[in-house]
Amino acid sequence: MNNNTQGEDHQPKKESLDSRFNQTLRNVQGLLKGRSIPGKVLLTRRLELFDNSGIQHQSPSYQRSYSQNDAARSNDRDKCMEGGVRNTNNSDSNATVNKLRSSASNIETSAREVKSVMGARSTDSARVLKFTKELSGQMIVVERLRELAWSGVPTYMRPDVWRLLLGYAPPNSDRREGVLRRKRLEYLDCVAQFYDIPDTERSDDEINMLRQIAVDCPRTVPDVAFFQQAQVQKSLERILYTWAIRHPASGYVQGINDLVTPFLVVFLSEYLDGSIDSWSISELSSANISNIEADCYWCLSQLLDGMQDHYTFAQPGIQRLVFKLKELVRRIDEPVSRHVEDQGLEFLQFAFRWFNCLLIRE
């Protein structure tokens, strides 16, 4: 008797659990089929009316509110489902199911895309805030800035960040403006001393070097119209020749002209808006052009000071890097390494330009 009673008591509980499970399952299926679209379901608090005594009749609760578009979509899908249930034709039922599945797939895809875009925007905003915080301090911690810049620098912050990371601008904000002014004047003095002179005052080697630079400048980024402007090529020529004269151990080597181009674009972006395709350097004053050239010159110098043996006689620095690349490929990808050897190729044949131009042409 007791066992029967317990079984009867247990049965309603089991049915209740089954009922709730089935209801939950239907809700999830409805969500997957697009009956309620994530991102458009709003939770609004329903406030109950208070009587004169100030006592609330019911506790506050929350309810779902849908936009009219959601309601229309939901009704349309309900009609489709009802039609599919009434229709005894298997092909029609399959078509309805396929349509619902397709709709659900499209909604899930859209939701993922929206989430991805929102995530990217929030990440960008967070990175901008971190950069702003680092750059606004009186004394910038260069190592922390370098670590932050590893994943990329916001476009409009690149000029300041590049000057700092290359050691051209000092980390102390109180000294920065004075140091930049002095360095820019020093560059102008070098141009006047080495470049703005007649050929009669140059040696034969200097004349040949200047002639080679003048030949290479029009070849620099030939597929970008901006670099074909005569004034841009003249700026490149001044920067490269001045650097070569002041670094006689290497002098000018083909490939260094490519290394100037990123600096030129970044520092010009402080003065010119829009796409590089619409830029015209003639819009800038001679003082601004001089400042841009000086920044390019000093940043190029800082960059090449750490790898000058790439451009000295026989270029031992590049040969050393090519050898390291060959060993690295042999260790991590034996089939590729063996294939290169079987074909009789030398890594120097295809990797030399990678290191000579730091992948700028690739």
Side-chain angles (χ1 to χ4, degrees):
M1 183 70 177
N2 291 335
N3 292 338
N4 293 337
T5 304
Q6 291 175 357
E8 291 174 359
D9 292 341
H10 181 69
Q11 190 68 22
K13 293 180 181 179
K14 183 178 180 181
E15 291 177 356
S16 176
L17 289 173
D18 290 343
S19 175
R20 279 185 289 174
F21 175 79
N22 291 333
Q23 180 61 40
T24 302
L25 182 60
R26 283 194 296 271
N27 291 339
V28 172
Q29 289 173 339
L31 179 64
L32 293 177
K33 291 177 181 179
R35 295 172 65 86
S36 57
I37 303 174
K40 285 199 173 184
V41 179
L42 307 175
L43 284 176
T44 58
R45 187 169 184 173
R46 185 176 66 233
L47 299 177
E48 302 298 336
L49 295 177
F50 290 82
D51 58 15
N52 294 333
S53 62
I55 301 175
Q56 189 177 2
H57 291 299
Q58 297 180 11
S59 61
S61 60
Y62 293 86
Q63 63 179 358
R64 288 171 177 255
S65 66
Y66 299 85
S67 65
Q68 294 180 356
N69 292 336
D70 292 332
R73 290 192 189 99
S74 181
N75 292 335
D76 292 342
R77 292 190 184 93
D78 290 342
K79 291 177 182 178
C80 289
M81 293 184 69
E82 290 173 4
V85 172
R86 293 194 189 98
N87 195 340
T88 57
N89 190 318
N90 290 334
S91 61
D92 292 344
S93 298
N94 291 335
T96 303
V97 171
N98 290 335
K99 186 184 294 185
L100 289 173
R101 287 176 179 171
S102 175
S103 176
S105 176
N106 292 336
I107 291 169
E108 290 174 3
T109 302
S110 300
R112 282 195 297 268
E113 291 174 353
V114 170
K115 185 177 180 181
S116 175
V117 171
M118 292 178 66
R121 288 174 180 170
S122 62
T123 302
D124 290 344
S125 301
R127 285 181 57 74
V128 168
L129 288 175
K130 289 180 180 179
F131 273 104
T132 303
K133 182 179 178 182
E134 289 294 333
L135 295 174
S136 61
Q138 182 178 0
M139 178 63 73
I140 292 174
V141 181
V142 177
E143 288 303 320
R144 204 157 57 204
L145 182 62
R146 180 176 288 111
E147 183 179 351
L148 185 59
W150 181 252
S151 299
V153 182
T155 304
Y156 66 95
M157 293 183 176
R158 283 178 190 166
D160 291 332
V161 173
W162 283 25
R163 291 188 193 103
L164 288 162
L165 292 183
L166 284 164
Y168 167 42
N172 189 328
S173 60
D174 293 337
R175 296 180 54 241
R176 196 170 304 146
E177 186 176 348
V179 169
L180 292 179
R181 188 186 305 110
R182 177 173 57 82
K183 287 289 199 179
R184 288 165 178 170
L185 289 174
E186 185 179 342
Y187 169 76
L188 288 178
D189 290 341
C190 290
V191 170
Q193 181 180 353
F194 302 122
Y195 183 82
D196 294 332
I197 58 175
D199 286 346
T200 54
E201 297 183 20
R202 307 182 204 272
S203 67
D204 291 341
D205 289 339
E206 291 172 350
I207 291 174
N208 291 332
M209 185 167 60
L210 181 58
R211 186 179 295 119
Q212 183 62 56
I213 291 172
V215 169
D216 286 347
C217 284
R219 299 173 180 172
T220 306
V221 200
D223 53 339
V224 177
F226 172 76
F227 285 98
Q228 302 310 306
Q229 297 178 25
Q231 205 166 351
V232 174
Q233 294 180 7
K234 205 65 177 176
S235 291
L236 282 173
E237 188 176 299
R238 278 193 291 267
I239 295 167
L240 292 169
Y241 183 77
T242 304
W243 184 88
I245 291 295
R246 296 197 64 183
H247 295 80
S250 62
Y252 172 74
V253 177
Q254 286 181 308
I256 297 179
N257 56 314
D258 292 289
L259 303 185
V260 183
T261 56
F263 296 119
L264 192 59
V265 171
V266 166
F267 295 132
L268 275 166
S269 68
E270 289 187 291
Y271 301 91
L272 299 174
D273 297 325
S275 169
I276 190 173
D277 297 328
S278 63
W279 284 2
S280 175
I281 199 172
S282 60
E283 298 175 5
L284 303 178
S285 65
S286 58
N288 287 339
I289 293 175
S290 295
N291 289 341
I292 292 167
E293 286 184 19
D295 291 353
C296 291
Y297 168 81
W298 288 112
C299 286
L300 178 69
S301 298
Q302 293 293 108
L303 175 68
L304 294 183
D305 280 352
M307 49 186 239
Q308 197 166 349
D309 61 348
H310 287 207
Y311 305 103
T312 53
F313 177 73
Q315 298 179 274
I318 291 181
Q319 295 195 46
R320 185 171 60 250
L321 288 178
V322 171
F323 176 76
K324 286 183 178 180
L325 175 65
K326 182 178 180 179
E327 288 299 303
L328 188 62
V329 173
R330 184 183 60 80
R331 285 167 51 193
I332 68 174
D333 203 330
E334 178 64 27
V336 169
S337 177
R338 190 166 53 250
H339 177 72
V340 171
E341 291 180 4
D342 292 344
Q343 298 300 315
L345 294 175
E346 291 293 335
F347 274 72
L348 195 65
Q349 292 174 303
F350 57 84
F352 177 83
R353 192 174 78 173
W354 297 354
F355 297 113
N356 189 54
C357 303
L358 300 184
L359 297 175
I360 288 176
R361 291 191 186 181
E362 311 309 323

